[in-house]
Amino acid sequence: VEFARSFDSEDKAGNFLWECFLFVLDPGFGINPCAFLISLASVLLLMGGVKESKVVANTFTTFNVCLVLFMSGMSLSLMKRENMTPLFPSEFGAGGVIRGATSSFFGYIGFDEICCMSGEAINPSKNMPRAIILTLAIVSS
């Protein structure tokens, strides 16, 4: 309640602080200070070495896995059994669901592989669009 009250239209100090905060986040003129700070931190981390970068990457990966597990657990706790019948739609069946899941999975892996290999391509400006179009054609067929 106190936090919400500080943004009341009659509270001049609260409005001023909020406007200052918003101005710091986006001052305009095509400048984004938050993006600059994140980019600067990334560059400094990479300049620090592989060991530090690995620690940060492992930390974020652990956080992401924990977040996925939390979301999965919460979704299971809020699940309604009546929404699970039928488990597989009759027009697609189990095979259709598995085909859709594998297409999505290999599409994701394919794009990840294209991005990783783009640094080693001989002529990336010509070959990368071809690789992306071929990957889309293969996955969508």
Side-chain angles (χ1 to χ4, degrees), residues 16-62:
F16 177 73
L17 290 175
W18 181 247
E19 292 296 324
C20 288
F21 177 71
L22 290 178
F23 181 76
V24 168
L25 289 179
D26 186 16
F29 314 112
I31 299 171
N32 190 339
C34 290
F36 172 75
L37 292 175
I38 291 171
S39 298
L40 181 66
S42 299
V43 167
L44 293 175
L45 179 67
L46 290 172
M47 288 174 60
V50 175
K51 189 174 184 180
E52 290 80 9
S53 298
K54 182 181 173 193
V55 169
V56 172
N58 288 341
T59 302
F60 279 113
T61 301
T62 303

Side-chain angles (χ1 to χ4, degrees), residues 40-89:
L40 181 66
S42 299
V43 167
L44 293 175
L45 179 67
L46 290 172
M47 288 174 60
V50 175
K51 189 174 184 180
E52 290 80 9
S53 298
K54 182 181 173 193
V55 169
V56 172
N58 288 341
T59 302
F60 279 113
T61 301
T62 303
F63 175 74
N64 285 338
V65 168
C66 290
L67 187 62
V68 167
L69 291 174
F70 172 74
M71 294 297 288
S72 299
M74 290 306 294
S75 63
L76 286 175
S77 71
L78 297 172
M79 179 183 75
K80 295 181 181 175
R81 286 197 171 278
E82 58 268 12
N83 291 337
M84 298 301 290
T85 54
L87 185 59
F88 299 113

